[in-house]
Amino acid sequence: MLGFMDYVQQAFFTSSHWNPDNSYGSLTATARALLDFSTPNGLRLNFSSLSSPNFATSYTLSSIGQVDGSLSYLYTSLPLPFLPSKSSTIPLRSLISGYRQVLPLRRPDEPWCWELWHQGKRIDKKDTLLYGSLYLPNSHLEALYLRRLSPVTQLKISCVSSSALKSGGSILFLLQRDVGKYSTEYLYSTDSALLGVRGLYNFGPDARTDVSSMGSETATEALRRKAEDVFSTAGTKETSTTVGLNGRFSAGAELYYGLLNKSGGMSTGIRFTTLPSHTGFPYTMTLTLNPLMGNLSSTYAVKAGQSLALCSRFDFNFYSYESELQVGMELWRRRNQTQTVENLEWVRRKLVERKDQGWGMPTSISELSSEIKGLGEEVKELRDEYSDENTAGVLKARMTHEGTIGLLWEGRVKELLYSCGVIVDFKRREQIFRGVGLEIMYSS
């Protein structure tokens, strides 16, 4: 489960029109979310608050043999007035990382869209995010400076100060550029004077030039268009088809070199994933290669239903001939709720609008329910996909070829968010269960 500060940072990306998924670092994000999830260790309590649209705080207290904690503060120059901050109203799918549905590429904003003029002078400012966290009692300090330089450029500076590090701390500079069709990243780290570059290229239409394509369509517009297609084809045998590509093929690579230790590395990877216009099961396939270390990794993830996602990963080293296989899943639990008049009101309004086109106007709730049922399961799937009302929690599980099993259950009870997990290792007879923990979060 994402921390509250990470949740606010994701909202900052969304409000500033930045796509974190369109980067080489997110190439295998789906497989990592389904297979590399971390389980709590011991007891951990987290209290957070969005005291104003620009300021957030978070306090953490944990007990793993000894009591420790952290104090975190975040400030953003971009107000987030409509961001759900209460733990009882935050959508679970915004906090829990699972199968990631890649959306069509969005056309970048024009530079003049960011200009704000007053009496002949530009008064606009670049959106900025500041974050700091102090971990006690080790006095470990972390800081983040994030600034949107332009509609396609972003600067990220991460700092760490700790006595455990050799030099006492390190600073990472990351310059990101995303134009939709491709993205590039340039990084420098004071640790070993590391220089690096990463890039990702998306094959297919270019959202910058093809304005009428789906690349310029937002998620809200796609939802509205799909809902209109459902109603426009109700009562007939015809089905609407979406014009455009149903998948996206991407390729990327990274190259880095340490000036002090005179060593370098590289990796490359490809990914194919389906888009929301795909009529079958959504799936994602990736293949990554590290030629210097000899590691080859392939992943396959599929969303087998609204509540179920499956994933597998196979790693192979062609120098040592060692291999590893992992399988995982996530299963969302939904509440059983009966349809109410309020839930059906949005459909009733739609039927009223189409009354002049030959529709009969329902006169009772039972007749209205019968009309809705005749629209097919597509309407229900559409609402469930974008709604968090019926979501109670999610169960994540993974298993390796060595017999190690990881279980994680995340959900919400009243005003509290919780995450509990355990790791089972059948090879350790003396201690099969390890890594048992519980994390409780509350935010206001």
Side-chain angles (χ1 to χ4, degrees):
M1 182 177 294
L2 288 179
F4 186 78
M5 293 305 188
D6 294 327
Y7 168 68
V8 176
Q9 183 176 335
Q10 293 295 329
F12 175 83
F13 289 147
T14 303
S15 300
S16 60
H17 297 167
W18 182 262
N19 184 12
D21 292 331
N22 193 32
S23 66
Y24 182 75
S26 301
L27 195 71
T28 58
T30 294
R32 294 198 306 267
L34 297 177
L35 298 177
D36 297 336
F37 57 86
S38 59
T39 57
N41 192 9
L43 179 62
R44 185 181 182 92
L45 304 177
N46 188 289
F47 305 94
S48 307
S49 174
L50 187 65
S51 54
S52 71
N54 302 84
F55 190 74
T57 58
S58 180
Y59 309 96
T60 301
L61 183 65
S62 59
S63 176
I64 311 176
Q66 64 176 2
V67 178
D68 56 7
S70 65
L71 308 174
S72 303
Y73 299 92
L74 184 146
Y75 168 79
T76 169
S77 63
L78 179 63
L80 305 172
F82 304 107
L83 177 66
S85 60
K86 295 184 178 180
S87 51
S88 58
T89 59
I90 297 178
L92 288 179
R93 293 185 181 271
S94 299
L95 291 175
I96 301 175
S97 300
Y99 183 91
R100 306 181 71 162
Q101 176 64 71
V102 176
L103 298 177
L105 294 175
R106 179 184 178 276
R107 186 185 184 188
D109 295 336
E110 298 292 341
W112 55 265
C113 295
W114 285 35
E115 297 180 3
L116 184 62
W117 296 82
H118 178 69
Q119 296 181 353
K121 296 182 180 180
R122 286 190 59 178
I123 60 174
D124 54 283
K125 297 181 180 180
K126 309 298 183 184
D127 296 330
T128 306
L129 183 144
L130 300 175
Y131 165 77
S133 181
L134 176 63
Y135 296 86
L136 300 173
N138 299 327
S139 299
H140 179 88
L141 180 64
E142 293 182 357
L144 172 66
Y145 175 82
L146 192 63
R147 187 177 181 86
R148 294 297 311 274
L149 302 180
S150 71
V152 297
T153 309
Q154 177 175 271
L155 176 63
K156 184 177 181 180
I157 304 177
S158 305
C159 308
V160 177
S161 177
S162 175
S163 58
L165 299 177
K166 183 179 180 181
S167 58
S170 64
I171 304 177
L172 174 64
F173 300 88
L174 181 62
L175 180 63
Q176 301 171 293
R177 178 177 174 82
D178 179 14
V179 299
K181 182 68 173 179
Y182 63 90
S183 66
T184 56
E185 298 175 278
Y186 308 92
L187 62 92
Y188 172 77
S189 175
T190 58
D191 187 14
S192 301
L194 183 68
L195 292 172
V197 58
R198 296 189 294 190
L200 180 72
Y201 183 83
N202 300 305
F203 295 87
D206 192 345
R208 295 173 298 174
T209 57
D210 190 4
V211 182
S212 61
S213 67
M214 292 187 59
S216 59
E217 186 179 48
T218 63
T220 304
E221 293 171 347
L223 173 60
R224 184 185 299 110
R225 175 185 50 78
K226 189 174 182 180
E228 292 176 352
D229 291 342
V230 173
F231 283 101
S232 64
T233 57
T236 66
K237 301 247 176 151
E238 300 177 359
T239 57
S240 62
T241 58
T242 302
V243 180
L245 298 178
N246 294 328
R248 182 190 304 159
F249 181 78
S250 307
E254 67 175 350
L255 178 66
Y256 51 90
Y257 182 78
L259 299 179
L260 298 182
N261 52 22
K262 306 298 182 181
S263 63
M266 66 168 298
S267 70
T268 183
I270 57 176
R271 178 187 65 188
F272 179 82
T273 181
T274 57
L275 296 176
S277 58
H278 180 64
T279 56
F281 292 117
Y283 63 91
T284 300
M285 300 182 295
T286 65
L287 179 66
T288 56
L289 172 65
N290 188 328
L292 298 181
M293 303 300 296
N295 292 328
L296 180 68
S297 178
S298 62
T299 67
Y300 178 76
V302 59
K303 191 174 182 182
Q306 296 179 12
S307 306
L308 178 64
L310 306 173
C311 183
S312 63
R313 179 171 60 196
F314 179 74
D315 297 328
F316 178 75
N317 189 287
F318 47 80
Y319 291 151
S320 62
Y321 297 105
E322 294 181 352
S323 61
E324 182 181 1
L325 176 64
Q326 280 186 311
V327 293
M329 58 158 286
E330 69 169 3
L331 180 62
W332 290 83
R333 179 177 175 270
R334 297 180 179 273
R335 301 186 181 94
N336 294 325
Q337 295 183 348
T338 58
Q339 285 279 35
T340 61
V341 177
E342 289 79 13
N343 291 337
L344 303 179
E345 194 61 31
W346 69 282
V347 182
R348 188 181 184 92
R349 290 195 300 267
K350 191 69 179 180
L351 297 178
V352 172
E353 295 175 1
R354 296 184 55 82
K355 183 178 180 181
D356 297 335
Q357 301 182 12
W359 283 65
M361 186 60 197
T363 58
S364 64
I365 295 299
S366 59
E367 184 180 352
L368 177 60
S369 301
S370 177
E371 291 286 352
I372 297 172
K373 185 177 181 181
L375 295 178
E377 294 296 329
E378 189 172 356
V379 175
K380 180 177 180 299
E381 295 176 0
L382 181 64
R383 295 196 64 196
D384 290 344
E385 183 178 358
Y386 291 89
S387 176
D388 194 68
E389 297 178 356
N390 298 331
T391 301
V394 59
L395 172 65
K396 289 187 177 183
R398 67 167 180 261
M399 183 178 65
T400 66
H401 70 287
E402 297 179 348
T404 303
I405 298 177
L407 299 174
L408 179 66
W409 173 256
E410 298 175 310
R412 174 167 37 216
V413 175
K414 301 296 183 179
E415 302 288 332
L416 300 177
L417 296 167
Y418 66 89
S419 177
C420 56
V422 61
I423 296 187
V424 183
D425 191 353
F426 292 101
K427 285 189 174 183
R428 302 178 60 178
R429 299 289 183 177
E430 68 281 359
Q431 188 180 2
I432 296 180
F433 298 96
R434 58 185 178 89
V436 182
L438 172 65
E439 180 178 358
I440 299 177
M441 297 176 55
Y442 174 80
S443 62
S444 60

